[in-house]
Each structure stands twice: as C-alpha cells, then as structure tokens.
Amino acid sequence: MTQRHLVTGGAGFVGSHLVDRLMERGDEVICLDNYFTGRKENIRHWIGHPNFELIRHDVTEPIKLEVDRIWHLACPASPVHYQFNPIKTAKTSFLGTYNMLGLARRVGARLLLASTSEVYGDPEVHPQPESYRGCVNPIGIRSCYDEGKRIAETLCFDYHRMHGVQVRVARIFNTYGPRMLENDGRVVSNFIVQALRGQPLTLYGEGTQTRSFCYVDDLVQGFLKLMESDNTGPMNLGNPGEFTIRQLAELVRDRINPSLEFVLEPLPQDDPLQRQPVIELAKSALNWHPKINLSEGLDATIADFKKRLIPSQEAES
Ligand code: NAD
Ligand code: UDP
C-alpha cells in the first residue's frame, strides 16, 4: 500500500534527496518548505507529478494535513545560516517540532526528527555513542541550534510518553553531497567552491579539529530504515571515517588544483574539536552501515558543483 509522506524542509539538501527516494518507490509526497536555505530547483523535477505536492509554509505556524509519515527536517543546518537569525532558529526547532508532533498526534502519523551530532556539543567522550549526554554551551553562538535540537528531541520523547506518538530520532553526523548550496558555508561545500574558483581554502583554526563525513545517499538509506524499524532511537547515523579538516582540504585541493594554498582563519567560538559516531546501534537495529567513502563521495559532489559553477561542464559530462 502506498503511503503519504510529509517532508518538512523537503526543498533543502538532505530533504530533496529523501523526496527523490520516496517518489521513486511510488509513494505520495507533500514537500513543505519556506525556502530559507532550500531551493525549488532541488525538487523541480517532481513538480506536476500526480503523487507530488509542494507547499510554501513555515513550520513555526501550525498546519493541518492527512499523512502517514512525517519526516521533520525543516531547520537551517549550516552554522552560517542558523546563526543568521538565531532566535528564528530556536523558534523553528521548538515551535516547528511542536507543531509537527501535534499534527502527528492528530492524524496518527509516525514522525522522524532530523536531529544532530550537535546534541553532543564539544564532546569529552570520543567517539560518541548515543548514551553520551553531551557537553553543550547553553549561551554560545551555536546554542540556538544545539539546544534547539536538544529540546526538539525532548519534545519527541514527551509526546511519545504522554500521547503515544510514534517517534524516530536520527542523530545525523556531518552529511555532504550534490545539491549543497554554493554559499552554504559548511566545510565541504566551502572547500569545493573555493578550489573550483581558484581561491585559497579557508582553514578555521589550524585545521586540526576532526569531523566524520557521511555521503547523503547513505544517510537517506539510514533514514528509510529507521522510519520503518521498531527502534525509536535516538540513533546515530553517520560515517565513522574521521578526518582532520586539513586532511579534507588536502583531499579537495588535490582533486581540483594541487597548487592552491590554504589560509588560516580564526576558529569560531565553541567549534567542536572532534566528532566521530559510534554506529553499533544502527548496524544491529537497522542492518545499516555507510557504503560510500569520502573519496567517492567527494568525486560525486565535485562533479555536481562543476556542473553548477562551470556551465560548460554540463555538456562534457
Ligand atoms: P538545509 O539547510 O539544506 O535544509 C533545511 C531545509 O529546511 C531548507 O530547505 C530550508 O529552507 C527549510 N527550512 C528552514 N527553516 C524552515 C521553517 N521555519 N519552515 C519551513 N522550512 C524551513 O540543511 P540539510 O543539510 O538538508 O539539513 C536537513 C536537516 O537535517 C536539518 O534539520 C538539519 O538540522 C539536519 N542535520 C543535517 C546535517 C548535515 O550534515 N547535513 C547534520 C545534522 C543534522
Ligand atoms: N571549517 C573550516 N573552513 C571552512 C568552513 C568550516 O575550517 O571554510 C571548519 C569548521 O570550523 C568546523 C568544521 O570545518 O571545525 C566543520 O564545519 P561545518 O560548518 O561544515 O560543520 P559543523 O561545525 O557544524 O560540524
């Protein structure tokens, strides 16, 4: 039986890939977005399809819809964008999740929350299992997002306990891939765009901080499995391959233009020093593990940026 899905933030980077998978399997999809960091371009290929609907809406306002599954992704994810209006980010996290849980309760839908490794803050435990409670600054420049996602998780589990709402909480670790915005501000897109433009790559701090990068197709597979599993989470979804930011810069530079230089810029406040997921829970509960390594994923991402930034590449590829 086909299901009807609501994807909030569906015109964004991860959301649009999820919409693709749901549409490809023949389900009905309502894509909801306020286009803060999303683009119609990302889902344009579905407009006009009988199974697809597009709604411009802000999740801080309630909405009534009949759906079976709610994928709640609406929230800016890049530090540059979530810090642009931090009060709005906190409202989106709290009110947006509150409204979507209210909808889930009313219509008996299951809701998956796109939470984040940021709930672990600047972690004192490495790598990070789901049982780690985190080290988050409640009053810093990242707090609107980190604390926003923490209260969003809290709301999910309170709706689950009080009202029996079926929730699934995914803690996503740095995910990258085609369709990231060229002005997104996150590290993978920054480095690729800088290298393609022949500019030096900007390392914040010394570039010794680490991240673990997951390719978007792997993440979406994990989402699909988590939604239909019996496990509420919270569940880490990410690729345990850990790299320093300098190593990432070297990988991108060497693929695009080995003569490019690095410039050091100040490390932003509260920037986590290290981050790597423990994914034993996802492996055992979902039989999921990421399949695409950083080299392969970077090649696909660079190819996408080339098409967008250097239009002549489209004809060649
Ligand atoms: P993104 O910025 O590309 O997508 C977010 C989408 O939500 C955009 O389309 C944006 O326009 C929309 N949106 C923002 N505020 C909204 C509002 N108030 N009402 C309606 N729509 C709104 O980011 P992404 O990387 O695709 O992230 C998707 C989700 O996954 C986010 O919730 C993010 O916190 C989470 N996440 C992503 C990563 C990652 O590395 N990509 C890591 C951890 C968590
Ligand atoms: N970063 C960097 N140069 C950039 C953008 C980011 O060195 O041009 C660093 C940033 O300081 C952080 C890491 O890369 O340590 C990942 O940053 P991103 O914004 O992608 O994600 P997050 O910090 O939320 O994990």
Side-chain angles (χ1 to χ4, degrees):
M1 204 179 68
T2 63
Q3 287 180 322
R4 186 179 295 169
H5 303 264
L6 169 64
V7 182
T8 77
F13 159 54
V14 174
S16 63
H17 287 276
L18 173 64
V19 167
D20 285 352
R21 295 295 89 75
L22 297 171
M23 287 294 296
E24 283 159 8
R25 71 186 199 194
D27 285 357
E28 291 180 38
V29 175
I30 301 173
C31 172
L32 181 157
D33 208 293
N34 71 350
Y35 303 117
F36 176 48
T37 51
R39 305 183 310 151
K40 236 182 223 173
E41 201 50 40
N42 289 341
I43 33 82
R44 188 178 296 285
H45 45 289
W46 297 117
I47 295 174
H49 191 291
N51 287 356
F52 184 75
E53 278 176 73
L54 184 57
I55 301 177
R56 178 190 283 266
H57 181 79
D58 192 308
V59 289
T60 59
E61 300 292 335
I63 189 165
K64 285 190 175 149
L65 296 164
E66 293 291 327
V67 290
D68 308 301
R69 296 284 183 262
I70 300 172
W71 307 80
H72 182 39
L73 280 69
C75 182
S78 160
V80 174
H81 295 296
Y82 71 62
Q83 288 165 20
F84 174 74
N85 183 344
I87 298 169
K88 173 74 192 205
T89 301
K91 274 179 77 177
T92 294
S93 291
F94 178 78
L95 285 178
T97 307
Y98 172 77
N99 286 330
M100 289 306 126
L101 284 162
L103 176 64
R105 181 186 175 201
R106 215 160 29 241
V107 300
R110 184 178 293 178
L111 178 143
L112 181 144
L113 172 70
S115 186
T116 170
S117 54
E118 291 288 325
V119 299
Y120 302 124
D122 189 5
E124 299 141 314
V125 170
H126 190 73
Q128 295 81 50
E130 289 87 352
S131 55
Y132 176 50
R133 292 184 184 178
C135 175
V136 174
N137 177 359
I139 58 166
I141 57 172
R142 297 175 81 97
S143 312
C144 59
Y145 183 75
D146 301 8
E147 297 288 20
K149 290 290 185 178
R150 287 170 69 99
I151 191 70
E153 287 197 9
T154 307
L155 277 172
C156 283
F157 283 90
D158 283 333
Y159 266 79
H160 176 61
R161 283 184 289 259
M162 276 190 76
H163 301 303
V165 172
Q166 297 182 55
V167 295
R168 303 287 182 266
V169 174
R171 289 185 178 156
I172 307 167
F173 284 64
N174 297 63
T175 298
Y176 69 98
R179 298 188 189 153
M180 293 186 91
L181 291 178
E182 69 188 75
N183 68 345
D184 182 88
R186 282 177 278 188
V187 67
V188 174
S189 46
N190 269 12
F191 286 171
I192 293 175
V193 170
Q194 288 161 349
L196 289 174
R197 290 184 175 149
Q199 296 165 348
L201 277 57
T202 51
L203 296 186
Y204 300 164
E206 299 287 322
T208 51
Q209 67 274 36
T210 69
R211 294 292 186 275
S212 304
F213 299 98
C214 184
Y215 189 66
V216 64
D217 289 358
D218 281 332
L219 174 71
V220 170
Q221 282 308 318
F223 265 26
L224 295 170
K225 287 189 165 197
L226 176 58
M227 181 63 109
E228 297 312 324
S229 85
D230 293 333
N231 201 302
T232 58
M235 191 180 292
N236 289 342
L237 292 179
N239 190 322
E242 186 186 14
F243 295 82
T244 66
I245 295 305
R246 186 177 283 273
Q247 285 173 324
L248 174 73
E250 286 164 358
L251 281 170
V252 172
R253 178 195 62 187
D254 294 348
R255 283 179 155 64
I256 297 177
N257 180 352
S259 64
L260 289 175
E261 293 183 348
F262 298 156
V263 284
L264 300 187
E265 295 194 359
L267 189 68
Q269 186 198 3
D270 293 334
D271 198 290
L273 281 181
Q274 50 185 2
R275 199 184 276 154
Q276 184 186 31
V278 174
I279 59 163
E280 297 317 306
L281 179 59
K283 278 184 181 167
S284 61
L286 308 183
N287 191 23
W288 174 88
H289 65 92
K291 299 199 169 103
I292 298 165
N293 66 31
L294 186 56
S295 296
E296 292 171 272
L298 281 179
D299 287 341
T301 312
I302 290 169
D304 173 66
F305 271 107
K306 274 188 179 167
K307 276 192 213 165
R308 287 188 277 151
L309 298 182
I310 315 169
S312 60
Q313 294 278 330
E314 204 157 2
E316 287 169 26
S317 58

